[in-house]
Amino acid sequence: MGRIQVGVRCRPPFEHELDWTERSAPRFESALELESRFVHIVPHHSRHFSQRSFGFDYVWPDSTTQAQVYDDAIAPLVSHVLHGQSATVLAYGQTGTGKSYTMGFLEATTATELGIIPRVFEHLFHELENAPRRVQMSFAQIYMENINDLLVAPPSGLVDLPVRQRTEDGVFYVDGLESFDVASLDDARCLVQMAMTNRTLAATSRNPTSSRSHTILTISIASAKLVLVDLAGSERTLNGFTAGMDIARTRLNEAKFINSSLSALGNVISSLAASSSAKASYRDSKLTKLLKGCFGTHGRTLVLATIDGAGCNLAETLSTLKFASRCRQVPLVPKVKSKEQAALAVKPVRTIATQTVDSGDDVDQLREAFQKKEIELHMLYQEQLYKLRRALEQMSLKQASFCAVGQWNDRPDHDDDELSVSTEDDDDSFNQVQF
């Protein structure tokens, strides 16, 4: 049983983030240190953040090209789809960190700047030259909890499409979303360009072409699907918008819906990472409903998180790294054909005696299982220790009470009465009270 793969890409610094005090060359003091599979937070001159490290499957520094990202992580997924298995790529990160650039939604000026989407279609049609198969695509956006078909734009504007759930498997789908046949690479480019024209973009203080909606591009080849998701990235509302009250109100309202849907997605990921059998709250947003079939199920899933090393954005960067780290803990349950197999898949039986470690993934799963078991045993130990202390305290109180009663009963017979009155005639002893 595998898990979600996670890659982290760091964008180059912007010009205003460079230190131009040195005459020889501008200098950028990054708050991150990147290794081949690790991201280290090294905040300079900051008391609000401590040094932390995160491990991922891929870590791409700011010098990484578009081709390197595709060859490392995306090309294997396309080959996986061509062999009949589904796959998902999900881009997540703060606005202005390069999600749309990496996915290929922005217009490329050179061939080296082509992103994931155009390279996927080039890869597909190159492989299908000798063995043609039917290729279909659909393109939807989620804007302020309204779902629109980006490939169908009626004269009156985009229409809100309903989300429904299939009774046989519980998967959510968009009712009325059109799928179009793609016969060539030129057809694919035309459809993607049409979708980009209909997509909702806006200028913000961090990004002049900020995406204000989540987009879901689905490429179908027979029964296999490749889902490419570009999540909108919100920015802090305290930065403000100065283009006018109406526009500012619209941007703030957009940010509210974006943050709400991303928060719902984070809750789903946390539930799935805690336990593969946990009931995640997919119904909290339309985004999580449509992504239900991408997390914790059969197929392959890649989360591509984009970050930047600027110290002023370290809070958002840390939030992105935490989300990506939780995604890496989500297991992918293999597809089963019967109820008995499904029950076994939900609660797999793994013992040290029968476990054979064949790959790094198995080692990671065993390590996580041991950590969870260690925490459970520690909590059980603390609970039993607390009960034992309470029992000892009660025994001590009972013993002290018993000893006090026993000492009183051991006194001589003439002291049995609590007080005795002498009746002698001696005046000094008259009515003498003896205790």
Side-chain angles (χ1 to χ4, degrees):
M1 182 173 65
R3 55 168 174 77
I4 291 179
Q5 301 290 302
V6 179
V8 175
R9 186 181 191 184
C10 185
R11 68 155 173 81
F14 293 142
E15 185 174 354
H16 68 274
E17 296 172 342
L18 299 175
D19 184 5
W20 294 88
T21 57
E22 298 184 6
R23 297 182 179 179
S24 58
R27 184 171 57 89
F28 175 68
E29 190 174 30
S30 176
L32 304 175
E33 288 184 0
L34 307 181
E35 296 183 9
S36 59
R37 297 185 62 178
F38 293 93
V39 177
H40 307 285
I41 295 181
V42 284
H44 301 281
H45 313 296
S46 175
R47 299 179 180 178
H48 304 287
F49 302 96
S50 59
Q51 294 187 1
R52 297 189 60 177
S53 298
F54 297 87
F56 301 104
D57 301 287
Y58 309 96
V59 174
W60 298 292
D62 54 12
S63 59
T64 305
T65 63
Q66 298 277 64
Q68 287 177 310
V69 174
Y70 185 84
D71 294 339
D72 289 345
I74 310 301
L77 297 182
V78 175
S79 300
H80 189 70
V81 172
L82 290 172
H83 285 82
Q85 300 294 327
S86 297
T88 302
V89 179
L90 186 143
Y92 179 95
Q94 183 191 11
T95 183
T97 54
K99 294 187 304 299
S100 297
Y101 172 75
T102 302
M103 294 298 290
F105 287 121
L106 302 181
E107 185 176 357
T109 57
T110 61
T112 57
E113 293 185 353
L114 289 174
I116 292 175
I117 292 177
R119 292 178 185 272
V120 163
F121 282 111
E122 289 181 356
H123 189 172
L124 285 176
F125 286 104
H126 175 73
E127 294 293 332
L128 295 176
E129 283 181 353
N130 298 326
R133 278 182 277 177
R134 186 182 184 185
V135 179
Q136 291 182 306
M137 67 174 288
S138 63
F139 215 145
Q141 78 168 359
I142 305 175
Y143 175 67
M144 296 174 63
E145 284 300 290
N146 294 325
I147 299 182
N148 313 126
D149 191 340
L150 295 179
L151 300 181
V152 178
S156 59
L158 297 175
V159 178
D160 184 21
L161 301 176
V163 176
R164 308 193 188 282
Q165 187 177 21
R166 292 199 296 262
T167 56
E168 58 271 18
D169 55 6
V171 174
F172 294 92
Y173 68 96
V174 180
D175 190 9
L177 184 64
E178 298 286 344
S179 294
F180 292 85
D181 289 331
V182 184
S184 64
L185 182 59
D186 291 335
D187 290 347
R189 290 171 178 170
C190 291
L191 290 173
V192 171
Q193 184 61 37
M194 180 188 300
M196 292 302 97
T197 303
N198 296 326
R199 188 183 188 185
T200 304
L201 303 175
T204 66
S205 58
R206 279 186 51 83
N207 189 359
T209 58
S210 175
S211 173
R212 312 309 294 169
S213 65
H214 311 299
T215 59
I216 302 176
L217 168 60
T218 304
I219 304 172
S220 302
I221 304 176
S223 60
K225 293 182 178 180
L226 175 61
V227 183
L228 304 173
V229 183
D230 183 19
L231 298 177
S234 63
E235 62 183 36
R236 290 184 176 182
T237 56
L238 54 86
N239 291 334
F241 304 94
T242 59
M245 291 300 297
D246 293 339
I247 297 179
R249 189 179 297 108
T250 302
R251 298 289 88 81
L252 291 174
N253 201 25
E254 292 170 349
K256 180 184 71 173
F257 281 98
I258 291 172
N259 289 332
S260 177
S261 59
L262 293 180
S263 177
L265 177 61
N267 293 335
V268 169
I269 293 298
S270 298
S271 299
L272 295 176
S275 174
S276 60
S277 61
K279 291 185 177 180
S281 52
Y282 290 102
R283 294 181 176 273
D284 288 348
S285 73
K286 292 183 178 179
L287 174 65
T288 52
K289 287 181 179 179
L290 297 181
L291 293 182
K292 181 180 181 180
C294 302
F295 293 114
T297 59
H298 63 282
R300 295 188 181 183
T301 300
L302 169 71
V303 173
L304 202 159
T306 56
I307 58 176
D308 69 81
C312 59
N313 300 322
L314 193 53
E316 290 81 0
T317 299
L318 181 59
S319 177
T320 301
L321 292 174
K322 288 181 178 179
F323 174 83
S325 181
R326 286 194 298 269
C327 289
R328 197 166 182 261
Q329 300 174 10
V330 176
L332 297 176
V333 181
K335 189 174 182 179
V336 294
K337 297 182 180 180
S338 64
K339 294 183 179 180
E340 293 78 7
Q341 291 174 338
L344 292 175
V346 172
K347 296 187 72 174
V349 179
R350 301 170 68 92
T351 62
I352 299 178
T354 59
Q355 177 64 34
T356 302
V357 179
D358 295 328
S359 65
D361 290 343
D362 293 331
V363 175
D364 292 338
Q365 293 171 16
L366 282 175
R367 185 182 294 111
E368 293 172 3
F370 279 126
Q371 291 175 353
K372 291 181 180 179
K373 192 64 178 179
E374 184 179 8
I375 294 174
E376 293 176 359
L377 291 175
H378 180 71
M379 294 178 64
L380 180 61
Y381 167 76
Q382 293 293 337
E383 182 181 358
Q384 296 296 330
L385 184 61
Y386 173 76
K387 292 181 179 179
L388 179 61
R389 289 175 178 173
R390 290 295 303 273
L392 290 175
E393 291 175 358
Q394 294 177 359
M395 291 178 61
S396 298
L397 292 175
K398 290 181 180 179
Q399 185 177 5
S401 176
F402 177 79
C403 291
V405 174
Q407 290 177 358
W408 180 261
N409 293 332
D410 292 341
R411 298 184 63 182
D413 294 339
H414 62 273
D415 291 336
D416 288 345
D417 297 329
E418 289 188 359
L419 59 89
S420 60
V421 179
S422 176
T423 56
E424 295 182 0
D425 295 338
D426 191 351
D427 294 338
D428 294 338
S429 61
F430 183 73
N431 289 340
Q432 180 178 4
V433 179
Q434 183 177 14
F435 295 94

